[in-house]
Amino acid sequence: MNIRHIKNMVKSNIKGLIFTACIVICSMYLSNIQSIKDATHLAATAFAIIIGVLLSPWFFKYQHTFQAGVHFSAKKLLRLGIVLYGFNITLTELLSVGFNGFILSAIVVSSIFITSMIVGTQIFRLDKETSMLVGAGSAICGAAAVLALESSLKSDPFKGILAVGTVVIFGLIFMFLCPFGFAFDLIPGFDQNAMGVYMGAILHEVANVAGAADMAKDMANFDQKAANIAIIIKMMRVILLVPFLLIVTYFVAKNQHPTHGKTAKTLTIPYFAFAFLGMIVFNTFLASRETFLGIDTHAIVSIGKNLCTICIVFAMAALGLQIDFKKFLKSGARVFGLALFLGIALLIGGYFLTLLFKGILW
């Protein structure tokens, strides 16, 4: 890659990146205002996609000017954000819930994804790719899983946008429902630890789990141990993104056949998933040391987490901008129907699954 090529790439992306950056700055500012934070518990990612959606008609009006930078944010920065997400996880934390935590997480991921494939195609009459994307977002780690799978499948970006919209909306709804239900004793048979396992097993985004735990602390004196259980169970689902991408990519490629006049779609091996796993190993190494190459390891991890957040917020803003309301109104209802069905399955199935693991995980 020569200097001229780099200059042309920067020039083509700069306007869209600046435009997206303005949304990111506003989103992060709103998420850090204490009164708004206390009232909504919304993360910067949620504000970014909401602002992006509101500005999407304006984006489509000037699409030729901003498209390259917005597309770069939604694809390249998202992958970088997924890799840097490894700074939030250590192998020690994953091992703390042991093999049983892995089994619980694997049951959630596999059952919800398979249910989405069957119900999405047979009942809601959605295409296979859309059903897979909604299932991945509901089962694993929300928008990051949707975009990671969409990147591997090379599906229509609009399908990914619809799927992300569902996991953002239902993730936020369930984030409020969980602490409310626990605070008012609407979930029978649950102590604090059970509620921690339950939230980690069913909520869509890591931000949803963290937000729900914070709200539960305010509403029902939820202790830190239970909050940690919720985060660790959620992280176990996140780590399953790596084998999930490899398995799904393999089977989709294996079952693809060229149709008349068309060639089979070439699937991309999700190398960034390996980088994500490598980052977890690196973060585990940093956790055991005070300095690395003369630099304080806490500073390295803090920078990595902040860069991860920025990249993910950029991607969310870009996704919101690319939502076409005409297409959304035309096909969004069935996608939301599937996401609602999966959400109910998570609420009910997760409840009985949590009770099944009582005495095993805590």
Side-chain angles (χ1 to χ4, degrees), residues 35-57:
S35 58
I36 295 177
K37 190 174 182 179
D38 292 339
T40 66
H41 293 276
L42 295 182
T45 49
F47 282 114
I49 199 166
I50 291 169
I51 296 172
V53 167
L54 294 176
L55 293 178
S56 61

Side-chain angles (χ1 to χ4, degrees), residues 6 11 30 39 41 49-50 53 70 110 113 118 128 132 135 137 150 156 191 199 227 261 295 302 310 315 334:
I6 294 174
K11 185 178 179 181
L30 289 172
H41 293 276
I49 199 166
I50 291 169
V53 167
V70 171
S110 58
F113 183 72
I118 296 172
K128 186 184 293 184
M132 291 170 70
E150 188 268 332
D156 183 346
D191 58 12
M199 292 194 298
I295 305 172
S302 178
I310 291 170
R334 287 179 294 148

Side-chain angles (χ1 to χ4, degrees), residues 9 23 32 45 47 60 63 68 74 97 154 180 201 231 236 239 245 268 284 311 338 342 346 361:
M9 185 175 68
I23 298 175
N32 283 305
T45 49
F47 282 114
F60 282 109
Q63 187 173 356
V97 298
K154 292 186 176 179
F180 180 86
I231 294 295
M236 192 70 80
I239 198 68
L245 289 175
T268 301
T284 305
C311 289
L338 173 60
L342 295 178
L346 281 166
L361 283 175

Side-chain angles (χ1 to χ4, degrees), residues 197-275:
V197 172
Y198 183 62
M199 292 194 298
I202 72 163
L203 292 177
H204 295 65
E205 304 267 6
V206 176
N208 297 149
V209 177
D214 284 342
M215 284 189 282
K217 289 177 185 177
D218 295 335
M219 299 172 67
N221 295 318
F222 204 59
D223 64 35
Q224 190 59 49
K225 180 184 174 183
N228 289 344
I229 290 175
I231 294 295
I232 292 169
I233 292 294
K234 180 60 187 177
M235 289 305 184
M236 192 70 80
R237 289 167 62 198
V238 172
I239 198 68
L240 287 173
L241 177 63
V242 177
F244 170 83
L245 289 175
L246 296 175
I247 293 169
V248 171
T249 301
Y250 169 77
F251 278 105
V252 171
K254 183 179 179 180
N255 294 318
Q256 270 194 339
H257 301 285
T259 55
H260 181 68
K262 296 182 179 180
T263 58
K265 187 185 297 182
T266 302
L267 297 180
T268 301
I269 297 174
Y271 292 109
F272 62 91
F274 292 102

Side-chain angles (χ1 to χ4, degrees), residues 78-99:
L78 185 276
R79 291 187 183 185
L80 178 59
I82 292 173
V83 172
L84 293 173
Y85 205 92
F87 277 110
N88 292 283
I89 311 170
T90 65
L91 294 175
T92 306
E93 290 174 328
L94 295 176
L95 291 173
S96 68
V97 298
F99 183 70

Side-chain angles (χ1 to χ4, degrees), residues 124 134 138 166 170 173-174 204 333-347:
F124 290 96
V134 176
S138 300
T166 64
F170 286 107
I173 291 172
F174 294 165
H204 295 65
R334 287 179 294 148
V335 178
F336 268 68
L338 173 60
L340 175 60
F341 182 91
L342 295 178
I344 294 172
L346 281 166
L347 287 174

